[in-house]
Amino acid sequence: MVTARPRRNGDRKTQLAQVAAELFRARGYHGVGINDIAAAAGLTGPALYRHFADKQSVLSYVLLSAVRDMEAETSNALSALEPPSGEQVGQLLSRIASTSVERRDVAALWRWEGRNLSPEDQREIGKRSSTLLTTWAKVLLDVRPDLPGADAELLCWATLSVFGSVSVHHTTVAKRRFERLLVDIAKRVLSTDVPKPATAEPAPAPLGVGTPARRERVLLAAAELFGQHGFHAVSMEDIGAAAGIAGPSVYRHFPSKASLAYAIGRRAGDRLVLSADEILRTSSDESEALGKLVESYVRNITGSPELVVSFSVGGMHLGESERAELVRIQRDYVARWVDLLGTARPDLNPREAKITVHAALTIANDLARTRRVLARPNLPAELVALMRAALSA
């Protein structure tokens, strides 16, 4: 339970927003009401309305403030040295790492709750984020002039995911060590040689024999819609229409939208675990196993929307047992990566290995749903290269 109370001194609006951010992170945006925020802050609902018009305006304030902070850190770092250099890039990365570690909750909100903003605020944050990434890419091009502009942008998006990865787990180490670890991972990502598209044989045309069973069509349609619009914005009627059946017919296969989401997440998790078991059984050493895990993960994340849905359990109204089961599957899967990386890289302690694994996985999770990079024809191979760079010594 969140019990943080804003202090009398300082900016009351900012303090209230911090309380709300903690609640949104713990319960999800749809699980929090204005009265919940007021109670956690030691206020009444009417008193809170003196600062914010509604819950959506609170979320907007939190996320826009985070973007402004990132803009300020970037401006401060880039004004410190001229012309851009590797040292300047290091300063910029250190500033962003510090902000990310200090404000983990805000990164999580943008990742999972950004779609709950008004269209106007979504556009504003998207515009400012893109401008920020363009600035980073220009600095990188000064340091690596051999890079095509689009590749520089890709590396900067991946770097942003490294820092955003702190929002998907609760593992921590000493603050300075945490920041250095993130900076080291980010530097490796920015130094990645983006693979060139390989000449490949055209894939054979599908046979087109038969059609998926109705239950399978429902699952596929729901995964696609949840991934595009979010769990709460999609109705069972929407899912039925996308699957080509009447809305009420969906209930013959799944009693609720939550049960559908659980089935999607469970199937995606089971697929990853089975693949990991096979890799561990057939690999000759930890490094080979890690490489195969990376390739397996990229195939799954780029081949189906189910995996993206399975990561959004915090924003779905699942039963406690279903939620706990999906979280258990995810943690067990990540633990296999952490064990392998810990053996392959004895320079990392278990917590550092876990932070590093989450950074690599988040790169793939983010870029596989980032519109600016989805059109890249060689994206799967690029994701493999970026993940390997994040994991490397």
Side-chain angles (χ1 to χ4, degrees), residues 23-193:
L23 284 170
F24 291 150
R25 171 82 186 274
R27 306 180 193 173
Y29 177 78
H30 292 278
V32 177
I34 280 288
N35 288 334
D36 297 322
I37 299 171
L43 300 175
T44 63
L48 187 62
Y49 282 117
R50 289 200 292 268
H51 301 279
F52 295 101
D54 51 28
K55 184 175 68 169
Q56 190 179 61
S57 67
V58 180
L59 180 64
S60 175
Y61 183 89
V62 171
L63 296 181
L64 278 169
S65 295
V67 174
R68 294 189 195 101
D69 289 346
M70 195 74 77
E71 290 170 339
E73 294 292 357
T74 298
S75 178
N76 291 337
L78 298 187
S79 64
L81 288 172
E82 287 291 343
S85 64
E87 183 181 354
Q88 188 178 36
V89 171
Q91 286 193 13
L92 174 57
L93 295 178
S94 295
R95 287 176 178 269
I96 298 171
S98 178
T99 300
S100 300
V101 171
E102 291 173 357
R103 304 189 64 183
R104 297 173 79 167
D105 57 336
V106 176
L109 288 182
W110 174 239
R111 182 177 304 278
W112 302 120
E113 307 293 358
R115 57 166 52 98
N116 293 306
L117 294 170
S118 68
E120 180 182 357
D121 285 339
Q122 287 187 30
R123 286 192 295 271
E124 176 67 14
I125 291 179
K127 177 183 176 181
R128 296 175 76 155
S129 298
S130 295
T131 300
L132 194 62
L133 262 294
T134 299
T135 301
W136 292 4
K138 288 179 179 177
V139 174
L140 180 59
L141 286 171
D142 284 328
V143 179
R144 293 188 60 184
D146 57 307
L147 277 177
D151 288 356
E153 185 177 274
L154 173 74
L155 297 181
C156 288
W157 277 113
T159 301
L160 185 60
S161 294
V162 170
F163 294 119
S165 68
V166 301
S167 70
V168 303
H169 61 89
H170 299 284
T171 305
T172 190
V173 292
K175 185 175 184 293
R176 287 196 175 184
R177 174 55 185 152
F178 203 163
E179 293 170 3
R180 286 198 301 271
L181 183 61
L182 293 175
V183 169
D184 288 344
I185 298 170
K187 285 181 176 179
R188 293 197 298 271
V189 168
L190 289 175
S191 299
T192 302
D193 291 325

Side-chain angles (χ1 to χ4, degrees), residues 24-26 28 107-113 115 164-165 167-170 222-223 226-228 230-231 260-273 293-294 296-318 322-323 325-335 337 357-369 383 387:
F24 291 150
R25 171 82 186 274
L109 288 182
W110 174 239
R111 182 177 304 278
W112 302 120
E113 307 293 358
R115 57 166 52 98
S165 68
S167 70
V168 303
H169 61 89
H170 299 284
F226 290 159
Q228 290 177 356
F231 177 79
L260 233 175
Y262 173 72
I264 292 169
R266 180 60 191 262
R267 187 163 72 165
D270 288 344
R271 184 186 300 132
L272 289 177
V273 169
L293 275 178
V294 167
S296 167
Y297 193 79
V298 169
R299 281 196 302 271
N300 278 283
I301 198 73
T302 57
S304 169
E306 294 174 353
L307 197 54
V308 174
V309 174
S310 71
F311 292 131
S312 308
V313 294
M316 299 186 293
H317 288 167
L318 299 178
E322 288 83 2
R323 185 187 307 277
E325 179 64 9
L326 291 185
V327 170
R328 182 194 64 77
I329 292 172
Q330 291 177 15
R331 287 176 176 170
D332 287 350
Y333 178 69
V334 170
W337 288 69
V357 164
H358 276 295
L361 293 173
T362 303
I363 290 172
N365 298 342
D366 283 355
L367 296 187
R369 57 183 182 178
L383 293 180
M387 291 182 72

Side-chain angles (χ1 to χ4, degrees), residues 181 188 280 285-291 293 333-358 390-393:
L181 183 61
R188 293 197 298 271
L280 292 174
D285 57 39
E286 291 79 12
S287 295
E288 180 186 350
L290 269 175
L293 275 178
Y333 178 69
V334 170
R336 299 176 191 217
W337 288 69
V338 174
D339 288 343
L340 287 172
L341 183 62
T343 304
R345 287 192 56 188
D347 59 303
L348 299 176
N349 66 40
R351 289 187 177 187
E352 293 167 346
K354 189 172 183 180
I355 291 169
T356 303
V357 164
H358 276 295
L391 295 169
S392 297

